[in-house]
Amino acid sequence: MKFGLILFLLGQAYVSWRTFKILPFLFWGKVLVVVLMLLALLSLVWRFVRMFQGVSSLQFDTFLYNVGTSWLIVMLYLLLAFLVMDVGVLLHLIPKGFNHDSAKASLVVFGVVFALMAYGYLHYDSKNKVELAVTTTKVLPKPLKVVMISDVHLGYHIKKKEFSEWVDLINAEQPDFVLIAGDIVDISILPIKEQHLEEEFKRLKAPVYACFGNHEYISGKADAEKFYKSAGIHLLKDSVAAFAGVNIVGRDDRMNGHRATLHSLMQKVDKDQFTILIDHQPYHLEQAEREGVDFQFSGHTHEGQVWPISLITGAMYEKDHGSHQRGNTQYYISSGIGIWGGKFRIGTSSEYVVATITSSKKN
């Protein structure tokens, strides 16, 4: 954690220094731009300080949150752009002095980063529908359609209007039931209460089953549980439900170091029936295979949200996004319908999954 914070501060310092050097402005013009960059960072710090103090103003805190978290992504791409330019100068691929007090170089760096941010925002706003065909040898009363989402992250940046559009997308599929693999809440329950977001969940025309994610713990698990209940969400917190001829097993998030083992949960199910596991964080996928789970749905990774962070998540997890198979167990790891922080998707997509489960056997 400390190492990550040090790297982050070094990145901020490098970007500020290179910005000061490259801009063709007078001294105080350069200082103003660097100060604005620092304020963008401090807006995120201020937002978290206010959160820990229990202070909330929907409009003001939305502004702080959006500016601060967006700056993290902008800073990442400025860092990459400056590094590429500096390496280019060292290798004599770019003329020496091109990256100092240069209007042309400034237009290249800030123009490219602005274009990427515009693309990333538009791409985030376009939700990708992933269709899955799941076949089982176990008997089902009928073919089932399931809409599965993860990482909703409702709060200061994903508000009622945007979530309402997602509810419409889900209802349009006419699913038999809906699964949510955690992180419905972002960082605080306060903006969710203020916007009465439970009303949108009640518009869903199918039963909703969900497990906790790590952000439910960050925001406060007791408040999150109350919200799930008020929204009519069936919370599966180390528990099992039976619906439409299938078992739905929901694990508590691994933030709970004392959560039940998957082995103990699977003792509660009829293994002759099709079993779906929802577990927010896709660690130890071999457990589902070992316990005879038919299908596991997870989220959490966001597939890194933006490149090159997606390279890191790809190295961290056995599977950080998409379909996967282990023995007779099928998996889908979602990049999430929502997002944490700045609303940018570069090299990844926001998605919702529509799975059709059919049996190769007849009743």
Side-chain angles (χ1 to χ4, degrees), residues 289-323:
E289 177 192 11
R290 185 169 60 240
E291 297 300 332
V293 171
D294 296 294
F295 184 88
Q296 176 175 334
F297 181 63
S298 297
H300 181 65
T301 71
H302 296 217
E303 201 190 357
Q305 292 190 188
V306 297
W307 185 92
I309 298 176
S310 51
L311 299 178
I312 298 173
T313 58
M316 284 178 60
Y317 299 92
E318 178 180 333
K319 185 72 174 180
D320 73 326
H321 175 243
S323 296

Side-chain angles (χ1 to χ4, degrees), residues 212-214 217 251-259 279-284 300 317:
F212 266 180
N214 58 305
Y217 278 86
R251 296 199 74 183
D252 196 1
D253 187 70
R254 69 197 301 267
M255 288 276 283
N256 176 5
H258 302 287
R259 67 175 179 168
D279 189 0
H280 179 63
Q281 302 190 46
Y283 288 99
H284 302 296
H300 181 65
Y317 299 92

Side-chain angles (χ1 to χ4, degrees), residues 38 48 62 109 148 198 202 328:
L38 180 60
F48 280 107
T62 295
V109 170
M148 299 183 282
E198 70 280 356
K202 290 177 180 178
N328 295 321

